[in-house]
Amino acid sequence: MTQAALESPAEGGETAATSRRFLVYRGDSNDGQMVEYSVPTLEGMVVLDAMHWIQAHVDGDLAVRWNCKAAKCGSCSAEVNGTPRLMCKTRVDVIVGDIWVQPMKAFPLIKDLVTDVQWNYEVNREIPPFTPPADVPSPWRVQQQDVERLFEFRKCIECFLCQDVCHILRDKNEKARYYGPRFMVRQAYLDMHPMDVRDRTGQIKDESGIGMCNITKCCTDVCPEHIHITDNAIIPLKERVVDEYFDPLLWAARRIRGRRQKKRPSSR
Amino acid sequence: MTVEVGRPPALRSQLNLWKPLWWAYPTWVVTALSAFGIYAFFAMIQKAGFAYPYLSPFYSPHIVISGLPISPAFYVAWVPLGFRLTCYYYRKAYFRSFLWEPPACAVADRPGRYTGETRLPFVLNNFHRYFLYVTLVVLGFLWYDAIRAFDFHGHFGIGVGSGIMLLNVVLLSGYTLGCHALRSLVGGGIDCYSCSLAAQGRHRAWSGVSLLNNRHALWAWASMFSVAITDIYIRFLIHGVFADPRWVS
């Protein structure tokens, strides 16, 4: 939708707007309510367009966080008709009836649709960074087959919709015991990286709390980048934890022959 | 695509309560798994699962311990039961449907303390790979039974039962060989696939298991129903409800 069409929706000629009823959460952490707006819509319009129209024409103080409007910055996360979504990727014409727009429930509310996602960055700092071997100078020669499964994890845009929908964070508020799906993806990337030498299994089990996840796959369902969070990140990490802590045969093998050194590609 | 939506509540605190048709999946799972569980118990207490040359999957491998008045089905029932109870797909199914943790995405959990899979009994899900090992052995017996289903007194033949038993074991193989634990064991735990010939072979194995794993839920349901249908067919033959249509060379 163009800016001109947004500014003058009634003058759209053949693409003349029809109105849709939006109910948008307005308020802060103390008090709030759903406020009704009638917004003119055009073909291809997304929910974020409607929020911009409300800001421009009705309530200039409506708080909305956004940046790219191209589903790449991960800023405009909210709950549209009860489902965590990127507002810039949610077309208005696929929704029948009223459109309810509410802030993410898992994080403290600042104002209207803006939540405080600071906790996620604090968790991120607790994860040890990428640790290459000290004795293998870069540049490294890494084969495609060694890194191809990592590309999926790099698609994460940190919208935190997976964190929002995760019931452990959302309903149980167990943020002290579980890092959440986003950071399982990050740890999967690091732990599976052929040039990362750090043993991360202990932290994945204890500090990250991977045992809290009960595989309900909601994080995968809401991911706008279609990352298979559960199947390709969380479950493989769970299996690595099983290798280390719950498999008596592997434990006995390690006792007998010692811990094997992690193999890694050689330097160029 | 048009998404039909209902009316959500006005207050943020009630947001969890609104989700159109959220109950459909848990209702389906509770109904289907309960029905299968009841039927499986009924089939196992019959103490009979063989209609020449077909052996019911509930009774395979056929173990008889003389002097014990226990149905042979109970000697092997723990294998598929344990494998499916600890399966990563069924974990999603029963955590959502029976335990409501949560019943659907963005729908409120059942109230109460939540420990996930860190405490008994669900910490036992970590032993899924051991049930996998035993299930692979049982799968071998089921393939043997399926091949025997084409042997009619030393002559090759094809009956409706042969086809059902073959389809059943194919579906069970698709489910078992697409297991998440197997995917990890064959190659998912390796970080450097290019480092040795063995690792390259394991990368190919991992890719193959991943292909089946993509539709693990579908394999899970299809194989569960095929086990029931195979048993129902054999049970009809046992009770003489109809004769098995067959061609024998």
Side-chain angles (χ1 to χ4, degrees), chain A residues 34 81 83 94 96 100 104 146 149 167 171-172 211-212 214 216 218 231 238-240 243 247 262, chain B residues 2-3 5 8 10 12 16 18-19 88 96 101 105 109-110 114 117 129-130 180 190-191 193-194:
Chain A
M34 300 303 291
N81 282 359
T83 302
V94 302
V96 175
W100 294 67
M104 288 193 285
D146 292 330
R149 66 177 165 172
H167 71 114
D171 287 308
K172 301 302 184 189
M212 292 291 281
N214 61 346
T216 52
C218 293
D231 288 317
K238 274 184 175 265
E239 286 297 312
R240 287 176 180 223
D243 286 346
D247 191 326
K262 182 177 173 178
Chain B
T2 300
V3 180
V5 296
R12 186 167 186 260
N16 269 339
W18 176 75
K19 192 82 181 173
Y88 282 101
R96 279 197 189 187
E101 289 178 336
C105 300
D109 274 27
R110 174 174 55 87
Y114 173 82
E117 299 185 335
R129 62 181 56 176
Y130 284 96
H180 289 87
I190 295 176
D191 296 335
Y193 292 121
S194 64

Side-chain angles (χ1 to χ4, degrees), chain B residues 24-85:
Chain B
Y25 177 79
T27 304
W28 154 251
V29 170
V30 168
T31 306
L33 291 185
S34 302
F36 179 82
I38 291 166
Y39 178 76
F41 185 74
F42 162 80
M44 288 191 293
I45 60 174
Q46 299 302 305
K47 295 186 181 178
F50 187 69
Y52 185 85
Y54 309 133
L55 178 62
S56 163
F58 287 119
Y59 287 78
S60 179
H62 195 65
I63 301 168
V64 179
I65 301 175
S66 56
L68 279 181
I70 297 172
S71 169
F74 286 104
Y75 296 129
V76 288
W78 62 273
V79 178
L81 180 66
F83 186 58
R84 290 191 188 247
L85 271 178

Side-chain angles (χ1 to χ4, degrees), chain A residues 21 25 34 79 81-84 94-96 98 100 102-105 107 109 143 145-146 148-149 165 167-168 170-172 174 177 191-192 194 211-218 221 231-232 235 238-240 242-243 246-250 262-265, chain B residues 1-5 7-12 15-16 18-19 88 91-92 95-96 101-102 104-112 114-119 123 126-127 129-130 133 180-181 183-184 187-196 200 203 206 213:
Chain A
R21 199 163 82 113
Y25 183 83
M34 300 303 291
E79 300 193 357
N81 282 359
T83 302
V94 302
I95 302 172
V96 175
D98 298 341
W100 294 67
Q102 292 161 297
M104 288 193 285
K105 184 172 183 284
F107 305 112
L109 182 64
Q143 299 298 315
Q145 63 182 351
D146 292 330
E148 60 189 1
R149 66 177 165 172
V165 82
H167 71 114
I168 304 163
R170 179 190 181 91
D171 287 308
K172 301 302 184 189
E174 291 278 12
R177 298 179 66 195
D191 202 50
M192 294 179 191
M212 292 291 281
C213 173
N214 61 346
I215 321 289
T216 52
K217 284 201 170 184
C218 293
D221 289 350
D231 288 317
N232 291 346
I235 293 175
K238 274 184 175 265
E239 286 297 312
R240 287 176 180 223
V242 172
D243 286 346
F246 295 98
D247 191 326
L249 288 181
L250 287 180
K262 182 177 173 178
K263 287 185 178 174
R264 57 180 184 246
Chain B
M1 183 185 74
T2 300
V3 180
E4 190 71 43
V5 296
R7 182 179 175 80
L11 296 177
R12 186 167 186 260
L15 187 148
N16 269 339
W18 176 75
K19 192 82 181 173
Y88 282 101
R91 277 142 87 166
K92 166 190 168 178
F95 270 116
R96 279 197 189 187
E101 289 178 336
C105 300
V107 173
D109 274 27
R110 174 174 55 87
Y114 173 82
T115 55
E117 299 185 335
T118 62
R119 298 279 185 276
V123 72
N126 288 310
F127 295 99
R129 62 181 56 176
Y130 284 96
Y133 301 148
H180 289 87
R183 187 177 180 229
S184 177
I190 295 176
D191 296 335
C192 181
Y193 292 121
S194 64
C195 289
S196 68
Q200 287 176 25
H203 180 256
W206 173 80
N213 182 263

